[in-house]
Amino acid sequence: MFLKGCPLDCPWCSNPESKDKDPQIMFNPNLCIDCKKCIEICPNNAVDFNLRGRIVRDKCNLCMECVDHCYSKALSIEGIEGSVEELLFELNKDRIHYRRSNGGITFSGGEALYQSDFLLELLKGCKANGWHTTIETAGYYPKETLEKIIPWTDLFLYDIKMIDDGKHKKVIGVSNKRILANAKFAAASSADLVVRTPIIPGFNDDKESVSEIAEFALDLKGVKRIDILPYHRLGEDKYYGLGQKYQMKDIESPSNEKMEQIKELIIKKGIDCTIGGVE
Amino acid sequence: MKATKKLKFSYQLPEKAPRIDTLLDDLMSVTPEIDPERAVLITESYKENESLPVIKKRAKALEKILKEMNIVIRDNELIVGNQTTKPRSSPIFPEFSNKWLLDEFDTLAERDGDRFLISEKTKETLKEVFDYWDQSTTNELATSLMTQEALEAMDAGVYTVGNYYFNGVGHVCVSYDEVLAEGFNGIIEKAKAAKKELSFGNPDDTPKRHFLDSVIITAEAVIEFAGRFAEEAEKLAEKTSDNKRKKELLEVAKNCRNVPANPASTFHEALQSFWFVQLVLQLESNGHSISPGRFDQYMYPYLKKDLDNNEITLEKAQELLDTLWVKFNDINKVRDQASTDAFGGYPMFQNLIVGGQTPGGQDATNLLSFMCLEATEHTKMPQPSISVRYWDKSPEEFMMKAAETTKEGLGMPAYYNDEVTIPSLTNRGLTLEDARDYCIIGCVEPQKMGKTEGWHDAAFFNMAKVLELALNDGKDPMQDYKQLGPKTGKASSFESFDEVMDAYKNQMEYFVELLIHSDNCVDSAHAERAPLPFLSSMVDDCIDEGKSVQNGGAHYNFTGPQGVGVANVGDSLAAVRKLVFEEKEISIEELENVLANNFDGHEALRQKLLNNAPKFGNDIDEVDELAREGALIYCKEVEKYENPRGGSFQPGLYPVSANVPLGAATGATPEGRLAGTPLADGVSPVGGRDQNGPTAAVNSVAKLDHHIASNGTLLNQKFHPSALEGENGSRNLNALIGSFFDQKGFHIQNNVVSGDVLREAQKNPDNYKNLVVRVAGYSAHFVSLDKSLQDDIISRTEQCF
Ligand code: SF4
Ligand code: SF4
């Protein structure tokens, strides 16, 4: 389950529709049948066929008329609003699969903790049903937020992208002090923790950055392993559909060999490592 | 070379022997041909025996075929027995139907899928043969038995009884275990003993005597047939200078001297005995889906004995098994163009199933269950159709092994759920022990081996067409609104959704009754013109009752016609209910109008129907319940009826690949489907409409009543290989199967191949000759399929966890 909203602004994010906490209109040109209904219906003249994202975002007041009349779903809303009960009802549909797969629910984003009160209620609901809960987070929150949800959380997938604070600030826009401190706190708690590191060419795919992350992880109490995730361009089209720019256009995904090398390096440091979480 | 594989099950499975690839290369390097020999021999035999009762004519004909056909021991074979002189060629069975073949002589070698070469000489020979059979085929008799209404409904594509209408029945699993244990000499003794019980004074006993005599004739013929192979092997052994091969050939000769006449004394003999049965069943009639069934159960004692006594190594045993797997692919059959559209890829549906439980209810998995999966991994061929029975006590290691086999991308094994199958069979009158001992015939049809004439592939019934007729006052929009069914009103006359459902029910009642009539006519035609003594000798209670399976001699008798288009009906009903009657977004007149015009000029409206109403396969009750209801109406109607063999009708929900031709006969449907395009495959969602991932798809499918569809249901899932990578991937797959089965799904099969690969294979078929895909209930070489079938497979959603 993806929860919308994120305080960070990583240029490589593959779920850009999840960054903004409000619903957004996404345009998918492959589905458009050119019926022009959207232009006819828009009360604010906000539809422009020359735009890759189709909608002039600052003229649009999100009245959703165009989305309702786009029968081919070329225009769609990203993000639906739902109550805790409604979401639990949806999650409950897969209860038999959770039992069979020893799995449960992963809350992701955006940033799972962005809507932390809502998340807390959801987590309680999951636990009442006996489901395993996983939180994917980048940890950029006050300690209290974490403290609140830990009793209802079985596993953290904890994003650590860079130990060098200077580089972290430069690319992601914020300091990592709080992120690293929270990682220590979460690792020492009753929940399990796996470190996740997206490998971004030119940012953290060098020996030094990787070693630092491995050493940091080694120091954490109760950490299970590091999952390294190769950067991929799957999100690219979504940026255009949202009328946004994609800043990573020229960056290639890291090669399999490169990923294997990094994995080797991490394992040599004495901590388990997978590529993409696959054992 | 792969390293020796290790299993937690505490034994190691050997790697592939070099012989296997040699055998495969020889087999695949030949283009299939039409072989007229059988057709000539049966015709001569009939001419020689005009005065005999039909059952004896059939016995005499088989005897002549086995005596006189050309026999071949192919290079490197360890298990022998050929159906045709050249590998993978097709014998001809003029007694079932032949006019279509005459019409298609010149296109056989050119057509899109399943090509067969045919020489001018063969054409001449067959023309002469076919003259003899004019008006004497089962097909012609069945046609003359049917009413005009039924013939018109079939023409319109409401249903097709095509398979048995034009071909032999097949679709059976005989008592292989009995042949292995007692040999055909045992069967002869049994028949002789039964004959002693007959009285000359009782008029009913005369046909019984003829039947039992026929059993004895065919049993003796198959023993002699094996003797011919023994001689041939000895001759070849004489000639060869290769000492190793000489030894092998002498072993082959020794085996053929002992089996299938006598009980098998070794694993090798058991395999050889099995193969003679499998082969001669094919030569007797051209039914497909002659299924080995629970091979790992009846064959295991022979393997175990040899292993325990150090008579055989595991390597040798695996090699023998692998060579048998190659042999399965030597059997082939030519079909008419329409059936080729429905069953593309030269399929023979020889379903072989492993795992599951014993008649006593304990887990039945053994070493041979693993070895069978390994043989499929080694040979990577579409035959046998390998299946796995699953229940809560199936060993974890076994399921992991099955997942490994799945990853080979052959679309096999298919998985069947004991927890649904067993109660659904006891509900049809099987004893608990027999139900627990079920095997699978053809695609997905369960039966108790050696006791059943299941007539499993009786028909494909087009539920979407019935809905189309229900919206058109019983008139067929694809045939200028010709009146086909009862007048139940036009769509525009309906004022509520209930009226739509009522019309659907009324049309269903009418057409199911016609379907039953057609099936029963075909059934009677087989009883009258093509009873099968050899097959009947291995099905209980034929010998005791003194009659063939075609005359009702089997212990359990069923007829199983399949409903096709579950998802289309569900999606259509949901669209009509929601958009027309609930939200009134579309008026019923407008709907009627756009459907009549195949949405021409109304693409936006079509998109609305496609996207603004819920679709089956996404775990949405609103539509899933309608799919369930639409299918139940069909199933409940079918199970009311009886067949001429004294058994009942039982519905199935799977299309093989009849969803393509049946779709071609169906106009535009309210869920946004264009006229003439394929229907959904089995109980699977419409390709591409299940967008909430595999768990939602299986949740939806599990909402159907799989117990009532006791002739089988079929769910196809297609995975990108990446979805199944590593041990985690296997676990995810097994968890999905397990949770589908927990929710009382019946069958699931998994294709592992990327859409890109398939598209590439379409463009460059030469580079992808080996690519096997799961079509519906069977696996076939992708490049041998018709283009539209290929497209259909590509369009099925690729699932990712
Ligand atoms: S309404 Fe949708 S399909 Fe029609 S033109 Fe606009 S975006 Fe395209
Ligand atoms: S949401 Fe409303 S304002 Fe925005 S583009 Fe669509 S119709 Fe226009």
Side-chain angles (χ1 to χ4, degrees), chain B residues 312-345:
Chain B
I312 199 170
T313 61
L314 198 57
E315 282 71 28
K316 187 72 201 170
Q318 184 72 52
E319 181 180 9
L320 288 172
L321 197 65
D322 292 356
T323 64
L324 178 65
W325 257 231
V326 177
K327 236 15 209 156
F328 277 116
N329 294 280
D330 202 335
I331 303 267
N332 205 350
K333 106 179 223 170
V334 64
R335 295 181 172 83
D336 64 298
Q337 182 66 54
S339 307
T340 300
D341 293 344
F343 311 102

Side-chain angles (χ1 to χ4, degrees), chain B residues 162-390:
Chain B
N163 198 0
Y164 304 165
Y165 194 23
F166 292 100
N167 302 287
V169 173
H171 287 85
V172 72
C173 177
V174 300
S175 306
Y176 298 95
D177 52 344
E178 211 178 299
V179 177
L180 298 184
E182 325 250 338
F184 278 98
N185 282 330
I187 287 176
I188 292 171
E189 288 315 310
K190 216 170 122 187
K192 283 185 176 163
K195 254 178 85 175
K196 282 209 184 107
E197 302 292 313
L198 301 179
S199 122
F200 291 111
N202 185 345
D204 294 343
D205 282 0
T206 302
K208 290 186 184 174
R209 190 171 300 107
H210 285 296
F211 169 73
L212 293 168
D213 283 342
S214 304
V215 165
I216 296 168
I217 293 170
T218 54
E220 284 171 346
V222 72
I223 293 171
E224 219 185 298
F225 184 56
R228 293 180 66 203
F229 279 94
E231 261 166 49
E232 176 70 12
E234 280 154 7
K235 248 191 258 160
L236 290 173
E238 194 73 26
K239 273 192 246 163
T240 182
S241 52
D242 175 347
N243 275 333
K244 195 170 150 255
R245 183 63 185 151
K246 188 188 288 281
K247 246 183 90 191
E248 287 171 2
L249 284 163
L250 290 175
E251 172 97 19
V252 165
K254 194 171 134 259
N255 291 343
C256 294
R257 293 262 178 242
N258 192 41
V259 294
N262 301 307
S265 63
T266 63
F267 182 57
H268 195 170
E269 278 188 8
L271 294 173
Q272 180 65 63
S273 188
F274 162 85
W275 182 249
F276 277 125
V277 173
Q278 187 68 6
L279 171 66
V280 176
L281 283 172
Q282 311 274 355
L283 284 165
E284 184 183 34
S285 101
N286 69 338
H288 61 70
S289 300
I290 292 170
S291 298
R294 305 194 75 186
F295 186 90
D296 65 336
Q297 301 302 303
Y298 57 77
M299 202 53 89
Y300 182 58
Y302 300 91
L303 173 65
K304 183 165 184 324
K305 191 178 117 239
D306 281 6
L307 285 173
D308 288 352
N309 297 335
N310 289 320
E311 299 276 353
I312 199 170
T313 61
L314 198 57
E315 282 71 28
K316 187 72 201 170
Q318 184 72 52
E319 181 180 9
L320 288 172
L321 197 65
D322 292 356
T323 64
L324 178 65
W325 257 231
V326 177
K327 236 15 209 156
F328 277 116
N329 294 280
D330 202 335
I331 303 267
N332 205 350
K333 106 179 223 170
V334 64
R335 295 181 172 83
D336 64 298
Q337 182 66 54
S339 307
T340 300
D341 293 344
F343 311 102
Y346 302 117
M348 292 307 294
F349 306 92
Q350 301 166 88
N351 200 313
L352 186 153
I353 197 161
V354 293
Q357 53 194 292
T358 64
Q362 291 170 305
D363 186 63
T365 315
N366 61 40
L367 167 62
L368 191 53
S369 323
F370 285 81
M371 289 171 70
C372 289
L373 291 170
E374 186 73 16
T376 294
E377 288 178 36
H378 284 170
T379 50
K380 298 190 178 43
M381 293 294 283
Q383 294 294 309
S385 283
I386 194 153
S387 301
V388 162
R389 273 181 55 171
Y390 176 83

Side-chain angles (χ1 to χ4, degrees), chain A residues 31 33 35 37 68 70-73 89-90 93-94 96-97 99-101 277-279, chain B residues 390 392 603-604 607-608 611-612 619 695 698-699 725 727-728 735-736 738-739 742-743:
Chain A
L31 297 179
I33 56 166
C35 68
K37 285 220 160 62
D68 289 346
C70 178
Y71 301 138
S72 67
K73 303 262 152 147
F89 177 82
E90 289 301 315
K93 288 180 171 176
D94 275 340
I96 293 170
H97 298 282
R99 192 173 74 205
R100 271 287 172 179
S101 59
V278 176
E279 280 157 40
Chain B
Y390 176 83
D392 280 348
E603 182 58 19
Q607 291 296 335
K608 191 172 194 170
N611 296 311
N612 288 28
D619 199 1
T695 60
V698 308
N699 290 351
E725 234 171 319
E727 247 185 79
N728 262 0
L736 183 75
S739 56
D742 284 346
Q743 299 178 72

Side-chain angles (χ1 to χ4, degrees), chain B residues 517-725:
Chain B
H517 163 72
S518 296
D519 265 340
N520 286 342
C521 291
V522 178
D523 210 332
S524 302
H526 280 275
E528 197 169 323
R529 292 200 168 160
L532 305 174
F534 178 70
L535 182 149
S536 301
S537 74
M538 294 173 281
V539 176
D540 291 352
D541 310 316
C542 290
I543 291 181
D544 294 344
E545 301 264 324
K547 53 186 178 185
S548 71
V549 294
Q550 289 68 30
N551 289 290
H555 188 80
Y556 298 118
N557 282 291
F558 296 105
T559 302
Q562 281 47 264
V564 180
V566 180
N568 304 93
V569 168
D571 289 354
S572 290
L573 290 174
V576 171
R577 183 168 71 183
K578 180 168 185 244
L579 297 174
V580 177
F581 291 106
E582 284 174 6
E583 297 180 353
K584 306 202 173 4
E585 286 271 329
I586 300 172
S587 76
I588 188 85
E589 291 77 15
E590 202 180 354
L591 181 70
E592 189 175 281
N593 183 27
V594 294
L595 291 179
N597 295 312
N598 194 20
F599 299 106
D600 196 23
H602 294 91
E603 182 58 19
L605 190 75
R606 189 174 89 88
Q607 291 296 335
K608 191 172 194 170
L609 289 162
L610 274 175
N611 296 311
N612 288 28
K615 294 289 177 280
F616 182 68
N618 297 292
D619 199 1
I620 301 169
D621 282 347
E622 201 186 330
V623 51
D624 296 348
E625 292 300 331
L626 283 172
R628 177 187 165 93
E629 184 63 23
L632 265 180
I633 289 171
Y634 169 72
C635 291
K636 291 241 155 109
E637 216 35 56
V638 166
E639 64 173 10
K640 285 183 189 165
Y641 293 94
E642 280 173 9
N643 63 32
R645 285 168 284 111
S648 61
F649 275 76
Q650 60 170 346
L653 295 170
Y654 65 89
V656 189
S657 33
N659 57 319
V660 177
L662 290 184
T666 309
T669 35
E671 90 276 33
R673 183 188 138 276
L674 291 170
T677 57
L679 300 175
D681 163 23
V683 290
S684 315
V686 178
R689 289 191 198 154
D690 49 331
Q691 294 169 338
N692 284 355
T695 60
V698 308
N699 290 351
S700 278
V701 175
K703 287 181 210 170
L704 303 172
D705 188 342
H706 294 261
H707 285 94
I708 191 176
S710 51
N711 199 47
T713 63
L714 184 151
L715 169 62
N716 239 321
Q717 289 278 75
K718 183 173 153 197
F719 293 93
H720 198 270
S722 57
L724 302 176
E725 234 171 319

